[in-house]
Amino acid sequence: MRYRTRLYIDLNLLKENFQLLKELCPDNQVLFMIKANAYGHGMVPIVRYSVQELGINEFGVATLGEARRLRDELSDLEFEIYVFSDIHLEFQSSFEYYLSRRFVPVISNMADLDFVLSCEGFQYFPICLKFNTGMNRLGFSSAQQQEVIDKLKKTDRTSIFHLMTHLGMASDIIEKQSPCDLQDQCFQEIKNNFLDQGIAIERSSISNSGAIEQKFGLNETHIRPGLILYGPSALHRDVRDRSNWKGKTISRLETYVINSFPVKAGERVGYGGTPAPSSGVIALIALGYGDGFSGRNKAPSIYLDGVEGMILGRINMDMGQVFFPGRDASFVKAGQSLVIWGHDPKEILNLADQTDTIPYEHFCHMTSRVPRVYSK
Ligand SMILES: *Cc1c(COP(=O)(O)O)cnc(C)c1O
Protein backbone atom coordinates (compact mmCIF):
# COMPACT_ATOMS: atom_id res chain seq x y z
CA MET A 1 0.00 0.00 0.00
CA ARG A 2 1.14 3.49 -0.72
CA TYR A 3 1.13 5.78 2.33
CA ARG A 4 0.16 9.36 1.83
CA THR A 5 2.53 11.09 4.19
CA ARG A 6 5.18 9.55 6.40
CA LEU A 7 7.66 10.51 9.05
CA TYR A 8 10.79 8.47 8.31
CA ILE A 9 13.02 8.08 11.35
CA ASP A 10 16.62 7.08 10.85
CA LEU A 11 17.78 5.56 14.12
CA ASN A 12 21.33 5.53 12.87
CA LEU A 13 21.24 9.33 12.99
CA LEU A 14 20.14 9.14 16.60
CA LYS A 15 23.26 7.09 17.20
CA GLU A 16 25.39 9.69 15.42
CA ASN A 17 23.80 12.49 17.44
CA PHE A 18 24.45 10.59 20.63
CA GLN A 19 28.10 10.13 19.65
CA LEU A 20 28.39 13.87 19.00
CA LEU A 21 26.84 14.50 22.39
CA LYS A 22 29.38 12.24 24.07
CA GLU A 23 32.18 14.14 22.34
CA LEU A 24 30.75 17.44 23.56
CA CYS A 25 30.11 16.20 27.12
CA PRO A 26 32.39 13.21 27.72
CA ASP A 27 32.03 13.37 31.50
CA ASN A 28 28.27 13.56 31.87
CA GLN A 29 25.61 10.91 32.18
CA VAL A 30 22.61 11.39 29.93
CA LEU A 31 19.03 11.63 31.10
CA PHE A 32 17.29 11.60 27.72
CA MET A 33 14.03 13.57 27.62
CA ILE A 34 11.44 11.57 25.70
CA LYS A 35 8.22 13.26 26.83
CA ALA A 36 5.43 13.94 24.32
CA ASN A 37 6.05 10.68 22.50
CA ALA A 38 9.76 11.36 22.15
CA TYR A 39 9.04 14.77 20.64
CA GLY A 40 6.73 13.10 18.15
CA HIS A 41 9.23 10.44 17.08
CA GLY A 42 7.60 7.52 18.90
CA MET A 43 8.57 6.98 22.53
CA VAL A 44 8.64 3.19 22.50
CA PRO A 45 10.93 2.57 19.49
CA ILE A 46 13.17 5.50 20.46
CA VAL A 47 13.65 4.20 24.00
CA ARG A 48 14.13 0.60 22.86
CA TYR A 49 16.87 1.68 20.48
CA SER A 50 18.45 4.01 23.04
CA VAL A 51 18.66 1.28 25.67
CA GLN A 52 19.75 -1.53 23.38
CA GLU A 53 22.04 0.25 20.95
CA LEU A 54 23.19 3.38 22.74
CA GLY A 55 23.35 2.17 26.32
CA ILE A 56 21.24 5.04 27.65
CA ASN A 57 19.33 3.95 30.73
CA GLU A 58 17.74 7.09 32.16
CA PHE A 59 14.75 8.75 30.56
CA GLY A 60 12.50 11.66 31.41
CA VAL A 61 8.78 11.87 30.72
CA ALA A 62 6.30 14.54 31.74
CA THR A 63 3.34 12.45 32.83
CA LEU A 64 2.59 9.33 34.80
CA GLY A 65 0.65 8.03 31.80
CA GLU A 66 3.75 8.27 29.61
CA ALA A 67 5.77 6.43 32.25
CA ARG A 68 3.21 3.63 32.52
CA ARG A 69 3.07 3.14 28.80
CA LEU A 70 6.84 2.95 28.56
CA ARG A 71 7.16 0.34 31.31
CA ASP A 72 4.29 -1.74 29.97
CA GLU A 73 5.57 -1.80 26.42
CA LEU A 74 9.24 -2.25 27.28
CA SER A 75 8.97 -4.61 30.23
CA ASP A 76 11.86 -6.68 28.87
CA LEU A 77 14.35 -3.81 29.30
CA GLU A 78 16.02 -2.28 32.35
CA PHE A 79 16.01 1.52 32.57
CA GLU A 80 15.05 4.35 34.90
CA ILE A 81 12.10 6.65 34.30
CA TYR A 82 11.77 10.08 35.86
CA VAL A 83 8.32 11.68 35.84
CA PHE A 84 8.79 15.43 35.65
CA SER A 85 5.67 17.53 35.90
CA ASP A 86 2.35 15.74 35.92
CA ILE A 87 3.26 13.37 38.72
CA HIS A 88 -0.07 12.82 40.54
CA LEU A 89 1.44 11.59 43.78
CA GLU A 90 -1.72 12.42 45.67
CA PHE A 91 -3.64 9.40 44.39
CA GLN A 92 -3.21 6.08 46.14
CA SER A 93 -3.37 4.26 42.83
CA SER A 94 -0.61 6.35 41.33
CA PHE A 95 1.90 6.08 44.12
CA GLU A 96 1.50 2.34 43.90
CA TYR A 97 2.66 2.68 40.32
CA TYR A 98 5.72 4.60 41.45
CA LEU A 99 6.59 1.86 43.88
CA SER A 100 5.82 -1.20 41.82
CA ARG A 101 7.24 0.10 38.55
CA ARG A 102 10.08 2.13 40.00
CA PHE A 103 9.25 5.50 38.50
CA VAL A 104 11.13 8.38 40.09
CA PRO A 105 8.84 11.34 40.72
CA VAL A 106 10.53 14.71 40.36
CA ILE A 107 9.32 16.40 43.54
CA SER A 108 8.90 20.12 43.26
CA ASN A 109 6.59 21.16 46.08
CA MET A 110 6.24 20.71 49.83
CA ALA A 111 2.98 18.77 49.73
CA ASP A 112 4.53 16.05 47.57
CA LEU A 113 7.69 15.97 49.66
CA ASP A 114 5.64 15.62 52.87
CA PHE A 115 3.70 12.82 51.32
CA VAL A 116 6.79 10.91 50.19
CA LEU A 117 8.57 11.35 53.50
CA SER A 118 5.57 10.23 55.51
CA CYS A 119 4.67 7.26 53.39
CA GLU A 120 6.19 4.01 54.54
CA GLY A 121 6.43 2.55 51.07
CA PHE A 122 8.75 5.36 50.03
CA GLN A 123 11.13 4.86 52.95
CA TYR A 124 13.96 3.57 50.77
CA PHE A 125 12.82 5.24 47.61
CA PRO A 126 15.12 7.65 45.76
CA ILE A 127 14.34 11.31 46.41
CA CYS A 128 14.59 13.58 43.40
CA LEU A 129 14.12 17.30 44.06
CA LYS A 130 13.70 20.18 41.69
CA PHE A 131 14.43 23.75 42.74
CA ASN A 132 13.20 26.92 41.15
CA THR A 133 16.29 29.04 40.65
CA GLY A 134 14.67 31.79 38.63
CA MET A 135 12.63 30.32 35.82
CA ASN A 136 9.52 30.55 38.00
CA ARG A 137 7.57 27.60 36.76
CA LEU A 138 8.01 24.52 38.95
CA GLY A 139 10.25 23.78 41.90
CA PHE A 140 10.93 24.57 45.52
CA SER A 141 11.90 28.15 46.06
CA SER A 142 15.32 28.97 47.30
CA ALA A 143 13.69 30.25 50.49
CA GLN A 144 12.30 26.77 51.15
CA GLN A 145 15.67 25.04 51.16
CA GLN A 146 16.10 25.02 54.94
CA GLU A 147 12.65 23.60 55.47
CA VAL A 148 13.39 20.87 52.93
CA ILE A 149 16.70 20.02 54.58
CA ASP A 150 15.10 19.94 58.04
CA LYS A 151 12.41 17.58 56.83
CA LEU A 152 14.94 15.27 55.23
CA LYS A 153 16.96 15.16 58.44
CA LYS A 154 13.92 14.56 60.60
CA THR A 155 13.13 11.46 58.56
CA ASP A 156 16.75 10.24 58.64
CA ARG A 157 17.45 10.89 55.01
CA THR A 158 21.14 11.51 54.58
CA SER A 159 21.23 11.51 50.84
CA ILE A 160 19.17 12.61 47.90
CA PHE A 161 19.21 10.81 44.63
CA HIS A 162 19.03 13.70 42.20
CA LEU A 163 18.99 17.46 42.67
CA MET A 164 17.97 19.50 39.65
CA THR A 165 16.87 22.83 38.34
CA HIS A 166 15.65 23.97 34.93
CA LEU A 167 16.87 26.92 32.87
CA GLY A 168 14.43 29.44 31.47
CA MET A 169 16.64 31.16 28.91
CA ALA A 170 19.10 28.60 27.58
CA SER A 171 18.16 29.43 23.98
CA ASP A 172 19.86 32.80 24.39
CA ILE A 173 23.57 33.47 24.78
CA ILE A 174 24.76 32.34 28.19
CA GLU A 175 27.46 34.55 29.64
CA LYS A 176 28.56 35.87 33.03
CA GLN A 177 25.60 37.35 34.93
CA SER A 178 23.11 36.36 32.23
CA PRO A 179 19.85 34.79 33.52
CA CYS A 180 21.17 31.23 33.15
CA ASP A 181 24.39 32.11 34.94
CA LEU A 182 22.41 33.63 37.82
CA GLN A 183 20.25 30.50 37.95
CA ASP A 184 23.39 28.39 38.10
CA GLN A 185 24.83 30.51 40.93
CA CYS A 186 21.62 30.03 42.87
CA PHE A 187 21.72 26.28 42.20
CA GLN A 188 25.32 26.00 43.41
CA GLU A 189 24.40 27.77 46.65
CA ILE A 190 21.53 25.37 47.24
CA LYS A 191 23.72 22.37 46.47
CA ASN A 192 26.46 23.55 48.80
CA ASN A 193 23.96 24.18 51.54
CA PHE A 194 22.71 20.59 51.29
CA LEU A 195 26.27 19.27 51.38
CA ASP A 196 27.28 21.54 54.28
CA GLN A 197 24.38 20.24 56.30
CA GLY A 198 25.32 16.65 55.72
CA ILE A 199 22.91 15.69 52.94
CA ALA A 200 24.78 13.89 50.19
CA ILE A 201 23.78 14.43 46.58
CA GLU A 202 24.21 11.43 44.32
CA ARG A 203 23.31 13.13 41.05
CA SER A 204 22.66 16.64 39.87
CA SER A 205 21.66 18.30 36.59
CA ILE A 206 20.85 21.67 35.14
CA SER A 207 21.48 21.58 31.37
CA ASN A 208 18.88 21.22 28.64
CA SER A 209 19.77 21.38 24.94
CA GLY A 210 20.45 25.11 24.72
CA ALA A 211 22.84 24.94 27.67
CA ILE A 212 24.59 21.80 26.42
CA GLU A 213 25.20 23.43 23.04
CA GLN A 214 26.99 26.20 24.89
CA LYS A 215 28.81 23.72 27.16
CA PHE A 216 27.09 25.21 30.17
CA GLY A 217 26.31 23.28 33.35
CA LEU A 218 28.62 20.39 32.51
CA ASN A 219 30.04 20.25 36.03
CA GLU A 220 26.97 18.39 37.19
CA THR A 221 26.86 14.60 36.97
CA HIS A 222 24.02 14.61 34.44
CA ILE A 223 22.71 16.49 31.44
CA ARG A 224 19.08 16.41 30.29
CA PRO A 225 19.02 16.78 26.50
CA GLY A 226 15.85 16.60 24.49
CA LEU A 227 15.77 18.51 21.23
CA ILE A 228 19.41 18.21 20.13
CA LEU A 229 19.31 14.43 20.18
CA TYR A 230 16.46 14.64 17.66
CA GLY A 231 18.67 16.94 15.60
CA PRO A 232 18.12 20.70 15.61
CA SER A 233 19.78 23.35 17.71
CA ALA A 234 17.63 24.84 20.47
CA LEU A 235 19.19 28.28 20.13
CA HIS A 236 17.32 31.28 18.78
CA ARG A 237 18.02 32.04 15.16
CA ASP A 238 20.04 35.19 15.80
CA VAL A 239 22.50 33.39 18.09
CA ARG A 240 22.52 29.96 16.46
CA ASP A 241 25.97 30.47 15.01
CA ARG A 242 27.28 30.38 18.59
CA SER A 243 26.20 26.76 18.96
CA ASN A 244 28.65 23.88 19.26
CA TRP A 245 25.98 21.48 18.02
CA LYS A 246 26.36 19.78 14.63
CA GLY A 247 23.70 17.07 14.82
CA LYS A 248 21.34 15.96 12.06
CA THR A 249 17.55 15.81 12.19
CA ILE A 250 16.70 12.15 12.75
CA SER A 251 13.38 12.40 10.91
CA ARG A 252 12.30 13.24 7.38
CA LEU A 253 8.74 14.34 6.77
CA GLU A 254 7.75 13.28 3.30
CA THR A 255 4.47 13.86 1.55
CA TYR A 256 3.34 13.68 -2.05
CA VAL A 257 1.45 15.68 -4.62
CA ILE A 258 -2.23 14.74 -4.97
CA ASN A 259 -3.03 17.15 -7.77
CA SER A 260 -1.33 19.93 -9.65
CA PHE A 261 -2.58 22.72 -11.89
CA PRO A 262 -1.46 26.04 -13.31
CA VAL A 263 -2.91 29.31 -11.96
CA LYS A 264 -2.94 32.84 -13.31
CA ALA A 265 -2.16 35.94 -11.24
CA GLY A 266 -5.15 36.85 -9.06
CA GLU A 267 -6.93 33.51 -9.47
CA ARG A 268 -8.41 32.40 -6.15
CA VAL A 269 -7.15 29.23 -4.51
CA GLY A 270 -8.71 27.05 -1.82
CA TYR A 271 -10.70 27.93 1.30
CA GLY A 272 -10.89 31.66 1.76
CA GLY A 273 -10.00 32.20 -1.89
CA THR A 274 -6.44 33.41 -1.54
CA PRO A 275 -5.41 35.05 -4.84
CA ALA A 276 -2.29 33.71 -6.56
CA PRO A 277 0.32 36.52 -6.36
CA SER A 278 1.50 35.80 -9.92
CA SER A 279 1.08 33.07 -12.47
CA GLY A 280 2.59 29.72 -11.64
CA VAL A 281 1.68 26.20 -10.69
CA ILE A 282 0.01 24.79 -7.59
CA ALA A 283 1.02 21.45 -6.10
CA LEU A 284 -1.66 20.17 -3.78
CA ILE A 285 0.09 18.13 -1.07
CA ALA A 286 -1.34 15.40 1.16
CA LEU A 287 -0.50 17.21 4.35
CA GLY A 288 -2.83 19.31 6.45
CA TYR A 289 -3.55 20.22 10.02
CA GLY A 290 -5.14 16.80 10.49
CA ASP A 291 -1.60 15.51 10.12
CA GLY A 292 -0.28 18.16 12.48
CA PHE A 293 0.96 20.55 9.83
CA SER A 294 -0.09 24.11 10.27
CA GLY A 295 1.58 27.18 8.94
CA ARG A 296 -0.47 29.28 11.38
CA ASN A 297 -1.43 31.63 8.58
CA LYS A 298 2.21 32.20 7.72
CA ALA A 299 3.55 31.04 4.38
CA PRO A 300 6.66 28.90 4.88
CA SER A 301 8.87 27.90 1.97
CA ILE A 302 8.49 24.37 0.68
CA TYR A 303 11.05 22.95 -1.72
CA LEU A 304 10.51 20.60 -4.63
CA ASP A 305 13.75 19.28 -6.11
CA GLY A 306 15.54 22.31 -4.73
CA VAL A 307 13.08 24.82 -6.21
CA GLU A 308 11.50 27.12 -3.64
CA GLY A 309 7.74 27.29 -3.44
CA MET A 310 5.48 28.56 -0.68
CA ILE A 311 2.32 27.50 1.08
CA LEU A 312 -0.44 29.55 -0.51
CA GLY A 313 -3.58 30.33 1.44
CA ARG A 314 -5.01 28.25 4.22
CA ILE A 315 -3.81 24.83 5.19
CA ASN A 316 -6.78 22.41 5.07
CA MET A 317 -7.39 19.44 7.30
CA ASP A 318 -6.05 16.96 4.76
CA MET A 319 -4.21 19.03 2.17
CA GLY A 320 -2.20 22.17 1.54
CA GLN A 321 -1.42 24.24 -1.56
CA VAL A 322 2.19 24.85 -2.51
CA PHE A 323 2.66 27.60 -5.07
CA PHE A 324 5.62 27.69 -7.45
CA PRO A 325 5.72 31.10 -9.13
CA GLY A 326 6.63 31.31 -12.78
CA ARG A 327 6.50 27.56 -13.34
CA ASP A 328 4.18 25.81 -15.78
CA ALA A 329 2.18 22.61 -15.53
CA SER A 330 5.13 20.44 -16.56
CA PHE A 331 7.05 21.40 -13.41
CA VAL A 332 5.17 19.06 -11.08
CA LYS A 333 3.09 15.93 -11.50
CA ALA A 334 0.61 14.15 -9.25
CA GLY A 335 2.31 11.36 -7.33
CA GLN A 336 5.64 13.14 -7.02
CA SER A 337 7.02 13.16 -3.51
CA LEU A 338 8.02 16.23 -1.63
CA VAL A 339 10.11 16.56 1.52
CA ILE A 340 8.91 19.06 4.12
CA TRP A 341 11.96 18.60 6.32
CA GLY A 342 14.89 16.30 5.87
CA HIS A 343 18.02 15.47 7.80
CA ASP A 344 19.69 18.83 7.35
CA PRO A 345 18.57 20.66 10.52
CA LYS A 346 18.40 23.94 8.60
CA GLU A 347 15.20 22.67 7.00
CA ILE A 348 13.09 22.30 10.13
CA LEU A 349 14.74 25.36 11.65
CA ASN A 350 13.79 27.43 8.58
CA LEU A 351 10.24 26.14 8.82
CA ALA A 352 10.13 27.13 12.48
CA ASP A 353 11.70 30.53 11.88
CA GLN A 354 9.37 31.33 8.99
CA THR A 355 6.27 30.41 10.97
CA ASP A 356 7.39 32.06 14.23
CA THR A 357 7.38 28.70 15.96
CA ILE A 358 10.05 26.40 17.35
CA PRO A 359 11.13 23.01 15.97
CA TYR A 360 9.77 21.33 19.10
CA GLU A 361 6.24 22.25 18.00
CA HIS A 362 6.56 20.87 14.49
CA PHE A 363 7.88 17.56 15.83
CA CYS A 364 5.22 17.27 18.51
CA HIS A 365 2.33 18.30 16.31
CA MET A 366 2.59 15.32 13.95
CA THR A 367 -0.60 13.36 14.61
CA SER A 368 -1.08 9.62 14.66
CA ARG A 369 -2.36 9.76 11.08
CA VAL A 370 1.24 10.12 9.95
CA PRO A 371 2.89 6.69 10.12
CA ARG A 372 6.34 6.61 11.70
CA VAL A 373 8.65 4.44 9.66
CA TYR A 374 11.93 3.40 11.27
CA SER A 375 15.21 2.41 9.72
CA LYS A 376 18.54 1.55 11.32
C1 LIG B 1 11.94 19.07 28.30
C2 LIG B 1 12.94 19.24 29.37
C3 LIG B 1 14.31 19.15 29.11
C4 LIG B 1 14.86 19.02 27.70
O1 LIG B 1 14.74 20.24 27.03
P1 LIG B 1 15.36 20.42 25.57
O2 LIG B 1 15.32 21.87 25.34
O3 LIG B 1 14.49 19.66 24.64
O4 LIG B 1 16.73 19.86 25.63
C5 LIG B 1 15.17 19.18 30.19
N1 LIG B 1 14.72 19.34 31.46
C6 LIG B 1 13.42 19.46 31.73
C7 LIG B 1 12.98 19.65 33.14
C8 LIG B 1 12.48 19.43 30.71
O5 LIG B 1 11.19 19.57 30.99
Side-chain angles (χ1 to χ4, degrees):
M1 149 186 179
R2 161 166 198 136
Y3 287 93
R4 41 195 306 284
T5 294
R6 296 189 191 197
L7 190 70
Y8 290 95
I9 295 151
D10 184 342
L11 293 168
N12 212 37
L13 290 176
L14 180 62
K15 180 187 268 177
E16 286 178 22
N17 288 347
F18 184 63
Q19 281 158 354
L20 287 175
L21 184 70
K22 292 311 290 176
E23 284 165 27
L24 202 58
C25 320
D27 301 322
N28 301 96
Q29 299 291 311
V30 173
L31 197 177
F32 185 10
M33 299 305 292
I34 47 109
K35 58 201 182 195
N37 201 25
Y39 293 36
H41 291 85
M43 178 167 77
V44 169
I46 292 288
V47 171
R48 177 173 289 286
Y49 183 81
S50 299
V51 172
Q52 292 184 322
E53 305 292 328
L54 309 180
I56 302 177
N57 51 25
E58 296 169 64
F59 298 90
V61 296
T63 75
L64 184 56
E66 291 173 335
R68 286 178 56 186
R69 180 164 163 238
L70 209 52
R71 258 302 176 257
D72 287 349
E73 298 196 24
L74 294 172
S75 56
D76 56 319
L77 301 179
E78 281 279 331
F79 56 92
E80 284 174 8
I81 306 176
Y82 292 73
V83 186
F84 272 79
S85 47
D86 199 2
I87 69 175
H88 278 312
L89 267 183
E90 69 278 21
F91 300 124
Q92 170 86 21
S93 56
S94 46
F95 82 77
E96 280 163 4
Y97 278 115
Y98 281 94
L99 292 174
S100 65
R101 307 199 185 181
R102 293 163 295 108
F103 303 147
V104 179
V106 177
I107 299 168
S108 52
N109 65 60
M110 213 53 93
D112 286 339
L113 181 65
D114 286 340
F115 176 77
V116 164
L117 293 178
S118 67
C119 179
E120 216 168 288
F122 278 110
Q123 203 176 346
Y124 302 105
F125 209 77
I127 298 271
C128 173
L129 300 179
K130 182 155 160 196
F131 272 84
N132 170 23
T133 54
M135 181 184 183
N136 298 326
R137 190 177 66 171
L138 274 182
F140 292 98
S141 72
S142 178
Q144 287 176 307
Q145 59 186 300
Q146 197 54 50
E147 193 182 343
V148 170
I149 292 172
D150 291 342
K151 284 182 172 167
L152 291 170
K153 285 182 161 175
K154 206 180 271 170
T155 50
D156 298 321
R157 295 278 190 160
T158 53
S159 150
I160 54 176
F161 176 65
H162 199 141
L163 185 74
M164 56 175 69
T165 191
H166 192 48
L167 299 169
M169 292 181 68
S171 297
D172 291 308
I173 293 289
I174 304 177
E175 52 200 2
K176 282 266 161 294
Q177 302 302 110
S178 67
C180 286
D181 187 49
L182 296 176
Q183 281 196 258
D184 184 46
Q185 289 175 27
C186 177
F187 188 60
Q188 300 309 324
E189 279 169 25
I190 295 168
K191 233 169 68 182
N192 289 332
N193 192 18
F194 272 75
L195 297 174
D196 289 346
Q197 298 196 48
I199 309 272
I201 295 168
E202 289 174 50
R203 305 172 175 190
S204 60
S205 63
I206 179 166
S207 303
N208 52 4
S209 291
I212 295 165
E213 288 175 68
Q214 303 183 65
K215 300 192 195 180
F216 182 79
L218 306 188
N219 293 326
E220 311 304 331
T221 60
H222 282 62
I223 51 177
R224 303 192 308 266
L227 189 70
I228 51 175
L229 280 176
Y230 304 100
S233 162
L235 300 195
H236 290 145
R237 63 192 302 185
D238 45 328
V239 298
R240 217 170 272 150
D241 57 339
R242 300 277 291 267
S243 174
N244 293 294
W245 184 245
K246 304 266 181 298
K248 294 208 183 85
T249 306
I250 67 169
S251 55
R252 183 175 92 244
L253 178 61
E254 192 174 318
T255 184
Y256 79 102
V257 178
I258 296 181
N259 186 22
S260 73
F261 49 90
V263 285
K264 296 197 187 73
E267 227 176 312
R268 292 186 182 280
V269 179
Y271 284 127
T274 306
S278 61
S279 64
V281 66
I282 297 279
L284 189 73
I285 55 172
L287 184 70
Y289 58 79
D291 304 287
F293 187 75
S294 156
R296 292 242 191 99
N297 303 321
K298 298 273 168 44
S301 304
I302 304 282
Y303 292 85
L304 179 62
D305 297 335
V307 175
E308 182 174 2
M310 61 183 259
I311 294 284
L312 182 70
R314 287 194 213 155
I315 293 280
N316 311 186
M317 186 180 292
D318 313 306
M319 290 167 268
Q321 300 90 219
V322 187
F323 174 61
F324 294 94
R327 302 281 166 167
D328 63 24
S330 66
F331 174 68
V332 52
K333 289 274 167 291
Q336 226 173 315
S337 62
L338 194 142
V339 174
I340 305 296
W341 71 69
H343 300 308
D344 181 347
K346 283 202 194 86
E347 297 168 353
I348 191 160
L349 287 167
N350 280 342
L351 176 63
D353 292 343
Q354 290 184 347
T355 52
D356 282 340
T357 54
I358 48 178
Y360 300 75
E361 290 183 63
H362 292 279
F363 283 154
C364 289
H365 283 169
M366 287 294 108
T367 65
S368 58
R369 188 162 79 180
V370 179
R372 272 63 168 173
V373 183
Y374 298 88
S375 63
K376 287 191 191 176

